[in-house]
Amino acid sequence: MRRSCDVRQVNSDLKSSLSECMTALDMFLNNKFQEALSFLQAKSKDSMYHILTYAIILEMQAMMTFDTQDIMNAGTTMKAAQAVCQRFRKKSTVADSFNNLVHGQSLDQFTEEEIHAEVCYAECLLLRAALTFLQDENMVSFIKGGIKVRNSYQTYKELDSLQKSSNHITGESHCHFEGGVKLGVGAFNLTLSMLPTRILRLLEFVGFSGNKEYGLRQLQEGAADHSFRALLCTLLLLLCYHTFMSFVLGTGKGNIEEAEQLLEPYLNRYPKGAIFLFFAGRIEEIKGNIDLAIQRFEECCEAQQTWKQFHHMCYWELMWCFTYKQQWKMAYFYADLLSKESSWSKATYVYMKAAYLSMFEEDDTKPFGEDEVKLFRQVPSLKVKIAGKSLPTEKFAIRKTRRYQAQNPVSLSIPPLEMMYIWNGYAVLGKQRDLTEKMLLTLKRAEENLKGHEGATENDFLRDDQCLVQLLKGLCFKYLDMMDKAEECFKYIPANEKKIKYDEYLIPNALLELALLYLQTDRREEAIKLLENAKHNYKNYSMESRTHFRIQDALLHARSIPNGC
């Protein structure tokens, strides 16, 4: 009788904790950030779900700010959350361990509280690993982070297998446990499936594997459940995947219709929720509705003033929206705000400020009397390191500014339009024909300007700049359905490969774009050959990892097309 009462009490406490944590998330989504944290903190020493939710919110803040103190606070709290979860995990005896080795485990060997402790513990490991990669500046941090990731991955795999077994506990709060497993299994499968083959083969050697379709299906199921993790499945993975990962680390083929369907109920429930307004803006941006996107991002900034991090995310997107519209002064304005307020990458922000100034007309007044040459020269000194490595975007910006270190600098031709390519912005621009046509005119003017420099022996950058313009022109032609002209532009770059001195990244990217063009025009086999060439025959160039992610995405798409289609 006493045991039965204890179980009922545990289940009641678990149910109450989950209910309170969902209330705290509701506060958070209504922009009541401090209220949510205070509400959770009161029980954070005794409840695994209270401290886990508290740590998740702090980690979200750290991921948005990249601030050292925020990362440390989140890391300390997540470590404490792991310790609390450990208290509630099953205490295995030597006999239990031997029996598990012989017969395997099943969920009937766990109390409901213990299985929740397992999934919460795995979540802590995964989130601590993410913070480890941000926090320390040496290789040891990568090893420590890797161990946490492996332990988390193995735990999720085991829990996934256990819940599919015949002995399946279904207590009152079981849907929240299942949601946690779907979140972890889905996240691992989706992320691993996106990695370039050479990295994936190494990970498979030590026991990792990833199936994109299975990962997405797990996350879709998790998002559809009315569980504690439904929001995380929806927000942190499906929306992020469809609106960011598929663009920045892929070829821009995210499922925007699904993202809209996922967002709609949350936006209806939280019409002023900053995070949902941000994603609403991002979706409109991807659809090519730039003015509506600007409106959404502005609404997001107006919705709350507590977490400036949401503002910074909006400023970044607003900067690109005005870049698509070629409104250089407004784009400069947001780059300037970011350089003053955000901790993510001062070097990138200052580079973008200088890039926009370089696009001003001669008679335009430059804000604050700033000079692009001076700003470009500042960029190398602003470099930061995360996890012992410089940000790829910063390294790219620093390489581009080398030409400004000379006494008589050679100006970059179209720096904001080049950086727009790095962030796959032409996949957005191409949704608006009028903006694409205007961009093509700008590129043609840059092309004419470069022709005026031909024969100038002191300019070592001329052919690199000409190849860049051809690459970007090719993209505009493609989105304007001028396929022959696009193909001609893309082929210009590998034809001039030996004449490119500094921007070697242009060659594999031109091959990638030509392959994507061939896929669009039913030339699958030619496309695969180009992608394999780009993948295997070029290395040590700017933004190499990002290009490999895109090549991998293109190859997966190409190989999914039946022969003859």
Side-chain angles (χ1 to χ4, degrees):
M1 181 65 72
R2 178 62 185 272
R3 169 69 177 167
S4 178
C5 291
D6 287 346
V7 170
R8 283 199 296 271
Q9 179 61 46
V10 165
N11 289 345
S12 175
D13 289 347
L14 187 61
K15 184 178 178 182
S16 175
S17 291
L18 282 159
S19 177
E20 288 181 5
C21 289
M22 291 180 81
T23 298
L25 282 178
D26 191 68
M27 292 180 191
F28 176 76
L29 298 174
N30 272 311
N31 304 327
K32 298 176 181 177
F33 308 125
Q34 287 309 125
E35 293 95 324
L37 288 170
S38 298
F39 181 81
L40 292 164
Q41 193 172 27
K43 295 187 179 180
S44 62
K45 292 182 180 179
D46 302 307
S47 164
M48 57 183 163
Y49 271 108
H50 281 77
I51 193 166
L52 175 62
T53 311
Y54 184 73
I56 286 170
I57 293 175
L58 290 182
E59 178 149 345
M60 287 176 66
Q61 183 178 23
M63 293 292 187
M64 287 188 284
T65 64
F66 281 81
D67 181 80
T68 304
Q69 191 59 50
D70 287 343
I71 293 170
M72 289 179 66
N73 289 342
T76 302
T77 308
M78 195 62 74
K79 187 175 181 180
Q82 186 179 331
V84 172
C85 293
Q86 179 65 37
R87 297 209 311 262
F88 292 95
R89 295 177 77 200
K90 181 178 175 64
K91 308 297 187 292
S92 296
T93 64
V94 174
D96 290 333
S97 299
F98 178 75
N99 189 55
N100 292 337
L101 285 171
V102 176
H103 302 292
Q105 287 184 310
S106 63
L107 286 181
D108 64 349
Q109 296 174 271
F110 294 82
T111 67
E112 189 170 18
E113 185 176 51
E114 286 169 347
I115 63 169
H116 279 267
E118 288 299 320
V119 78
C120 289
Y121 188 84
E123 214 163 303
C124 288
L125 284 173
L126 183 57
L127 293 169
R128 280 190 68 199
L131 283 169
T132 302
F133 294 142
L134 287 182
Q135 190 174 17
D136 297 326
E137 295 194 4
N138 56 65
M139 203 59 200
V140 174
S141 71
F142 280 92
I143 296 168
K144 287 179 179 177
I147 292 168
K148 293 185 185 81
V149 168
R150 180 170 171 76
N151 290 343
S152 176
Y153 176 77
Q154 291 298 336
T155 302
Y156 279 122
K157 274 187 71 176
E158 290 167 12
L159 291 174
D160 191 34
S161 297
L162 287 174
Q163 73 168 350
K164 291 173 182 173
S165 65
S166 56
N167 299 311
H168 192 269
I169 290 177
T170 53
E172 279 188 280
S173 302
H174 195 71
C175 70
H176 299 287
F177 163 74
E178 286 185 319
V181 176
K182 290 181 191 299
L183 172 68
V185 171
F188 270 113
N189 273 275
L190 179 60
T191 305
L192 289 169
S193 71
M194 295 180 68
L195 293 173
T197 308
R198 58 193 173 90
I199 298 174
L200 191 56
R201 281 178 184 156
L202 180 63
L203 290 173
E204 285 173 344
F205 181 73
V206 292
F208 286 89
S209 62
N211 182 306
K212 182 178 180 180
E213 297 308 316
Y214 183 64
L216 284 171
R217 190 164 61 250
Q218 289 289 291
L219 293 170
Q220 286 161 348
E221 290 174 7
D225 292 338
H226 298 290
S227 75
F228 172 72
R229 269 87 176 194
L231 170 71
L232 295 178
C233 287
T234 299
L235 190 66
L236 299 180
L237 291 159
L238 284 177
L239 281 174
C240 287
Y241 171 73
H242 288 315
T243 62
F244 282 100
M245 291 169 68
S246 63
F247 268 78
V248 178
L249 300 179
T251 55
K253 295 188 181 298
N255 190 333
I256 297 306
E257 292 77 16
E258 184 176 4
E260 286 185 293
Q261 290 169 10
L262 288 164
L263 182 61
E264 185 179 11
Y266 287 101
L267 202 53
N268 289 337
R269 185 174 177 183
Y270 306 101
K272 296 294 182 183
I275 199 158
F276 299 119
L277 287 169
F278 172 77
F279 277 111
R282 178 64 183 168
I283 286 171
E284 294 300 339
E285 182 184 348
I286 290 170
K287 290 165 65 178
N289 301 328
I290 306 303
D291 290 334
L292 190 51
I294 290 170
Q295 181 183 325
R296 284 298 203 181
F297 292 132
E298 289 174 345
E299 286 175 15
C300 179
C301 291
E302 292 168 5
Q304 60 84 37
Q305 299 299 319
T306 307
W307 272 25
K308 289 291 185 181
Q309 297 90 335
F310 282 123
H311 292 194
H312 300 157
M313 291 161 61
C314 290
Y315 295 165
W316 177 258
E317 297 302 325
L318 283 163
M319 181 185 82
W320 290 117
C321 284
F322 286 110
T323 305
Y324 304 141
K325 292 166 72 71
Q326 297 192 62
Q327 294 183 9
W328 309 123
K329 289 183 179 179
M330 287 301 297
Y332 167 89
F333 171 76
Y334 285 108
D336 184 55
L337 277 177
L338 286 165
S339 72
K340 291 172 180 173
E341 295 183 14
S342 174
S343 303
W344 174 63
S345 173
K346 298 287 185 185
T348 301
Y349 300 143
V350 171
Y351 178 84
M352 293 310 298
K353 281 176 62 176
Y356 293 124
L357 287 177
S358 73
M359 302 299 287
F360 280 30
E361 299 292 340
E362 285 187 17
D363 56 349
D364 285 342
T365 303
K366 294 184 178 178
F368 315 115
E370 288 200 297
D371 175 70
E372 64 264 29
V373 174
K374 290 180 181 178
L375 288 173
F376 278 131
R377 286 173 173 168
Q378 286 178 23
V379 170
S381 66
L382 299 170
K383 179 175 68 174
V384 296
K385 286 191 175 183
I386 295 174
K389 292 190 173 184
S390 301
L391 293 166
T393 308
E394 285 196 347
K395 288 198 282 190
F396 180 83
I398 290 166
R399 284 176 183 169
K400 299 301 296 187
T401 59
R402 285 175 184 167
R403 60 170 81 184
Y404 286 91
Q405 305 308 319
Q407 188 172 356
N408 297 310
V410 178
S411 297
L412 289 164
S413 178
I414 39 171
L417 307 188
E418 180 179 27
M419 189 65 86
M420 194 173 97
Y421 175 73
I422 296 299
W423 289 91
N424 209 11
Y426 289 84
V428 174
L429 182 80
K431 305 283 176 56
Q432 279 283 2
R433 189 175 185 87
D434 61 331
L435 294 180
T436 307
E437 288 173 344
K438 289 177 183 175
M439 190 63 71
L440 184 57
L441 289 174
T442 299
L443 291 165
K444 285 180 177 178
R445 285 196 294 271
E447 183 179 31
E448 289 301 315
N449 185 49
L450 289 170
K451 282 181 180 177
H453 293 287
E454 287 179 349
T457 53
E458 72 278 2
N459 185 354
D460 287 340
F461 303 95
L462 182 60
R463 193 53 58 98
D464 296 54
D465 291 344
Q466 288 174 331
C467 286
L468 170 63
V469 170
Q470 292 303 314
L471 177 67
L472 304 186
K473 274 178 61 187
L475 288 164
C476 290
F477 281 132
K478 183 181 83 167
Y479 288 113
L480 293 170
D481 295 320
M482 299 178 182
M483 299 304 185
D484 290 342
K485 289 188 175 182
E487 183 176 349
E488 185 182 336
C489 288
F490 293 145
K491 284 182 173 179
Y492 178 89
I493 293 101
N496 284 275
E497 177 175 346
K498 292 183 179 179
K499 297 178 182 178
I500 293 174
K501 293 188 177 181
Y502 304 101
D503 294 328
E504 294 94 345
Y505 86 94
L506 292 170
I507 306 154
N509 278 276
L511 296 173
L512 167 62
E513 298 301 341
L514 186 57
L516 292 172
L517 182 73
Y518 284 172
L519 286 176
Q520 200 172 328
T521 52
D522 301 325
R523 297 158 72 177
R524 175 179 174 273
E525 293 303 322
E526 290 177 82
I528 290 174
K529 286 179 183 177
L530 286 170
L531 291 168
E532 292 290 353
N533 181 13
K535 176 180 173 180
H536 295 295
N537 295 328
Y538 300 92
K539 60 182 180 179
N540 301 324
Y541 55 86
S542 294
M543 307 303 292
E544 183 175 357
S545 292
R546 192 169 297 187
T547 302
H548 274 281
F549 273 108
R550 290 177 180 171
I551 291 170
Q552 174 73 2
D553 190 34
L555 276 169
L556 287 172
H557 174 60
R559 287 170 178 156
S560 69
I561 301 170
N563 278 321
C565 292

